[in-house]
Amino acid sequence: MTLSRQLYILILSVSVMMGAGTWLISVDNTRTYLMLQMATQTQNTADSLGLSLVPHMKARDIAVMDTMINAVFDSGYYKSLSLKSMQGEVLIERENTSSIEDVPEWFINGLKLDSPQASSIITTGWTQSGTLNLEAHPGFAYKKLWDTSYAMLWWSLLVIIISFLVSFMALKAILKPLYAVEKQALAICDREFPVVTDIPKTRELKKMVEAMNMMTAKVQSFISMLTERAEKYREQAHYDEMTHLMNRNGFKAVVENCIKDQEHAGSGFVALIRLADFAAYNKKHGHQDGDNLIIEVARLIDSLCDSYHGSTAARIGGIDFAVLLPLADPDTTSAFGHELSCSLEGLSSNHQVEAIGHIGLASFHQNSSFGDILADADTALASAQSQGNNEYNILSSNNDAMGNQAWAALIKNALSHNNVRFIAQPVMDQNSNSIYSELLMRVIDDAGKEIRPGPFAAMAERLALNEKLDQFVIQRATTLLEHATDQNSILGVNISAASVKSSTFSTWLEKHLQTHNKAAARLLFEITEHGVLQSFGEANHFVDIAQANGARIVMEHFGTRLSSFQSLRQLKLDYIKLDGSFVRNIADNSDNRFFLQTVTDIAHGLDIQVIAEHVENVDDFHALQALGINAMQGYYFGEPQPIS
């Protein structure tokens, strides 16, 4: 029960008790007064009537005495009257048998009024001639007492109501700062840090509001400090200070993670870009212009990478740059090489030099090593140098890649004929209990061969078929949940970046979740960090729609972008899934352990659970447990299993 409600009940209770006490005291005082008044009036009437009857008593004029007595008794104030001689002879007797009208019986029974009696001795001279006995009738007193009690009751109720309303308004004004503080506390839990500007005049409340404002500022400052520290450390450890691209160590971790990602990657191309005659350019234009050229080339490469799904740019040496193109086929790689070559040619014209650099591209697969990939790319780069200025060359061993038309036919056929097989990989908590299962799709081609989800999803995005694919998977996941024997099972579904920023997809998703509201509460949507940062406003809208309908949100591949920590504070995420490049071999990497500890502390401070993906061995499992990671996923817990 809220404090305000408790205070209202207390005020109302006190008001009712005071009103009831005042009413009871007033009724009792009125009752006492009426009884005293009846007794006094009865005695006075007996005395005055007795004196009036003296001369007629002496003459024994019964008729006159009867008339005089009737005049008094017929007023209704008396219950009985008797006139007796001294010998006990009843001369005149009257009895009022009328009932008490307009007064409830329960009131009469609850408030007894005694009927006072009075007597008067009638004397004629020195002789006592008779006795007059008179008993009051309480009818008029009861009527007066009822009317007075009734009026006082209504006045008491009116006073109680007015007092309560005045108290309500006063308390509402007094407690207004408490409501503001309550909203402030809830906002902090919701990863917002508002400050209450309406400071109350009441000293205690003023101190409380000021203390809450100080706490809010300190919490915000602490989280900002952790965020800045984590970003600074990551930038120092994994990024080049001059270009802000990933450095060699960071690039190596990303490439190796891509190679070993058995579900979503495992193959692709790496581009090696080396500046041409940079020593001569540096000597001619100076070191500052040389540095500016490196920065300009870095921006050009990084900008070009935005158009290629999952690509990562890096500066791996003084004049060497590299780009990872996961799941890229030869056509995509050739398009990238041509586009980058043209951009370098344009930069050459701007700087009036013959060549800016050359590009060598080499493919890799799940058995490749980082050193071998760079060696192949360097071989391709040597060929490009012999071809001419700003040229590119591709060294590929991938001879079984399909073209765009074949991929489009395969995807459309899979969706229309349901040529898919679903498997699930669990996400486990620290006690190895399943939190949810990530739904993975295997596409079956015409030859009956299964295709891993990574290449399939990448081609769907390239061919603008992501929305249809995502809708298909969500519909199947919903059906699986609605027909599951375990009504507590939860499924995670991967959503492409294109679908996240699509308004038509968001509209469809909202209608779908509203139609299947029970299953919606058992769905998690995994969205990539890169997709969120590409279109933050649309991603925020997508998160709001999902959570409003009971679904939860996971940001996967967290940590691969420098600005991702700020998004934690703005998006209402339920989980973050750390990128595998930080997780692999974490037991032997103290730098990454420090970084993940900081990330975990920040996330927990924002009430976000942390998941580590690509957990492959027991040493990494125990290291992640020690860091306070909430959940883990990977082949250490077993391979993905078919889902029925």
Side-chain angles (χ1 to χ4, degrees):
M1 186 181 294
T2 61
L3 174 63
S4 59
R5 184 171 295 180
Q6 292 179 7
L7 291 175
Y8 294 146
I9 292 175
L10 177 62
I11 292 172
L12 181 61
S13 301
V14 171
S15 300
V16 169
M17 286 190 291
M18 291 182 63
T22 303
W23 181 81
L24 288 173
I25 293 172
S26 300
V27 169
D28 187 63
N29 288 339
T30 303
R31 174 175 172 271
T32 303
Y33 169 76
L34 290 173
M35 289 179 63
L36 181 61
Q37 187 182 44
M38 282 195 300
T40 303
Q41 181 181 351
T42 303
Q43 186 63 54
N44 290 340
T45 300
D47 291 342
S48 61
L49 183 58
L51 290 174
S52 301
L53 293 176
V54 167
H56 305 291
M57 187 70 176
K58 184 177 180 181
R60 288 280 180 165
D61 191 346
I62 301 299
V64 174
M65 289 191 295
D66 187 65
T67 301
M68 294 177 66
I69 286 173
N70 286 340
V72 173
F73 192 78
D74 289 347
S75 64
Y77 284 101
Y78 305 101
K79 186 177 183 180
S80 64
L81 184 149
S82 64
L83 179 62
K84 298 179 180 179
S85 66
M86 295 306 296
Q87 291 75 30
E89 179 188 0
V90 178
L91 302 177
I92 300 174
E93 190 173 42
R94 294 287 184 273
E95 189 75 27
N96 184 0
T97 58
S98 63
S99 60
I100 302 172
E101 299 180 355
D102 300 329
V103 180
E105 189 66 27
W106 60 266
F107 186 80
I108 296 172
N109 295 331
L111 291 172
K112 290 292 185 181
L113 290 178
D114 298 331
S115 298
Q117 297 180 0
S119 61
S120 176
I121 305 298
I122 301 173
T123 59
T124 54
W126 298 100
T127 305
Q128 293 181 347
S129 302
T131 303
L132 177 66
N133 294 310
L134 190 63
E135 183 181 1
H137 193 289
F140 288 104
Y142 270 120
K143 184 66 169 65
K144 181 67 174 176
L145 183 60
W146 167 253
D147 291 342
T148 301
S149 301
Y150 188 77
M152 288 183 64
L153 177 63
W154 281 109
W155 275 108
S156 297
L157 288 175
L158 182 61
V159 170
I160 290 172
I161 292 171
I162 292 174
S163 300
F164 181 75
L165 289 176
V166 172
S167 301
F168 176 81
M169 298 302 293
L171 270 179
K172 187 176 181 181
I174 293 172
L175 296 177
K176 185 178 179 181
L178 289 181
Y179 298 137
V181 168
E182 179 186 7
K183 290 181 179 179
Q184 185 181 36
L186 292 174
I188 292 174
C189 295
D190 211 21
R191 305 153 209 175
E192 297 173 2
F193 303 96
V195 174
V196 178
T197 56
D198 188 11
I199 306 297
K201 298 287 192 296
T202 307
R203 188 182 67 177
E204 291 80 1
L205 293 178
K206 179 181 180 181
K207 287 185 176 180
M208 181 190 65
V209 170
E210 290 176 344
M212 280 296 297
N213 282 342
M214 290 176 61
M215 186 192 74
T216 300
K218 284 192 173 294
V219 171
Q220 184 177 19
S221 175
F222 178 71
I223 292 177
S224 297
M225 179 190 69
L226 283 178
T227 300
E228 290 171 4
R229 182 187 298 172
E231 289 176 349
K232 183 177 180 180
Y233 176 78
R234 179 176 53 171
E235 189 169 358
Q236 290 175 346
H238 297 281
Y239 285 82
D240 178 62
E241 184 177 359
M242 179 187 295
T243 63
H244 300 295
L245 295 180
M246 195 167 280
N247 62 20
R248 186 183 183 90
N249 289 335
F251 187 71
K252 180 181 178 182
V254 171
V255 172
E256 289 180 343
N257 182 64
C258 180
I259 293 170
K260 296 176 182 178
D261 188 351
Q262 301 181 42
E263 294 299 327
H264 300 101
S267 63
F269 280 80
V270 167
L272 178 63
I273 304 101
R274 182 171 297 154
L275 300 186
D277 296 324
F278 183 72
Y281 185 90
N282 227 4
K283 185 176 181 180
K284 180 179 180 179
H285 297 281
H287 290 289
Q288 184 61 51
D289 283 352
D291 290 346
N292 291 338
L293 177 63
I294 290 175
I295 293 172
E296 193 171 356
V297 171
R299 288 175 180 170
L300 185 150
I301 296 172
D302 193 40
S303 175
L304 183 60
C305 285
D306 289 339
S307 304
Y308 291 84
H309 174 74
S311 59
T312 302
R315 184 189 180 198
I316 62 173
I319 58 173
D320 286 351
F321 297 85
V323 175
L324 171 65
L325 299 169
L327 300 171
D329 59 10
D331 290 340
T332 302
T333 305
S334 179
F336 175 84
H338 178 73
E339 191 172 355
L340 180 56
S341 176
C342 292
S343 298
L344 293 179
E345 187 66 33
L347 199 59
S348 295
S349 298
N350 293 339
H351 287 271
Q352 297 179 349
V353 295
E354 291 184 357
I356 291 293
H358 299 87
I359 310 149
L361 299 108
S363 64
F364 65 88
H365 48 78
Q366 288 186 342
N367 296 320
S368 300
S369 67
F370 182 72
D372 290 341
I373 297 170
L374 287 188
D376 289 344
D378 193 52
T379 300
L381 188 141
S383 297
Q385 289 172 333
S386 64
Q387 292 173 204
N389 296 327
N390 303 311
E391 286 293 335
Y392 72 96
N393 183 266
I394 301 175
L395 181 66
S396 174
S397 60
N398 188 3
N399 298 317
D400 58 348
M402 294 188 296
N404 287 348
Q405 291 184 349
W407 271 110
L410 175 65
I411 294 171
K412 292 177 181 178
N413 184 63
L415 298 184
S416 60
H417 295 88
N418 199 23
N419 292 336
V420 297
R421 185 173 71 90
F422 284 100
I423 58 176
Q425 185 175 35
V427 174
M428 317 294 282
D429 63 16
Q430 287 200 351
N431 298 318
S432 297
N433 298 316
S434 176
I435 298 176
Y436 73 94
S437 295
E438 182 180 356
L439 194 64
L440 304 171
M441 185 173 69
R442 294 282 193 268
V443 177
I444 303 170
D445 62 13
D446 294 337
K449 179 183 177 182
E450 289 187 354
I451 300 175
R452 291 179 295 110
F456 186 80
M459 288 306 301
E461 183 165 352
R462 185 183 307 164
L463 299 171
L465 296 172
N466 335 60
E467 289 190 39
K468 290 183 178 179
L469 178 60
D470 290 341
Q471 290 177 9
F472 174 79
V473 176
I474 291 172
Q475 288 171 335
R476 289 297 303 274
T478 303
T479 303
L480 288 169
L481 289 172
E482 290 176 338
H483 293 84
T485 54
D486 181 6
Q487 292 300 306
N488 294 319
S489 59
I490 301 173
L491 287 179
V493 177
N494 290 280
I495 305 297
S496 66
S499 295
V500 168
K501 62 184 179 182
S502 169
S503 59
T504 56
F505 181 83
S506 295
T507 301
W508 174 88
L509 179 65
E510 185 171 19
K511 291 180 180 178
H512 179 81
L513 295 179
Q514 289 173 351
T515 304
H516 304 274
N517 57 332
K518 290 185 178 179
R522 295 158 59 198
L523 277 173
L524 285 92
F525 295 119
E526 297 197 4
I527 57 179
T528 64
E529 179 186 55
H530 179 66
V532 169
L533 297 178
Q534 270 189 328
S535 49
F536 189 84
E538 291 83 354
N540 205 5
H541 180 61
F542 175 87
V543 171
D544 289 342
I545 288 175
Q547 292 182 335
N549 290 279
R552 283 166 284 178
I553 299 294
V554 181
M555 180 193 280
E556 62 177 349
H557 304 314
F558 182 84
T560 58
R561 294 294 186 273
L562 279 175
S563 57
S564 58
F565 286 100
Q566 297 300 328
S567 64
L568 283 182
R569 294 173 52 181
Q570 299 175 48
L571 285 175
K572 304 301 184 291
L573 300 171
D574 298 289
Y575 300 90
I576 58 171
K577 185 181 285 187
L578 301 170
D579 188 72
S581 61
F582 296 106
V583 175
R584 290 188 188 278
N585 302 317
I586 187 68
D588 301 321
N589 191 325
S590 58
D591 290 340
N592 277 355
R593 283 202 304 274
F594 177 79
F595 172 69
L596 293 189
Q597 182 68 75
T598 305
V599 171
T600 303
D601 290 341
I602 295 172
H604 288 172
L606 297 171
D607 199 25
I608 299 173
Q609 301 290 294
V610 181
I611 303 170
E613 63 178 354
H614 298 169
V615 181
E616 307 296 343
N617 57 65
V618 66
D619 292 336
D620 288 348
F621 172 73
H622 290 308
L624 292 167
Q625 274 188 321
L627 293 175
I629 303 294
N630 303 100
M632 303 174 212
Q633 181 183 23
Y635 275 67
Y636 170 71
F637 303 100
E639 295 186 5
Q641 298 297 317
I643 187 169
S644 57

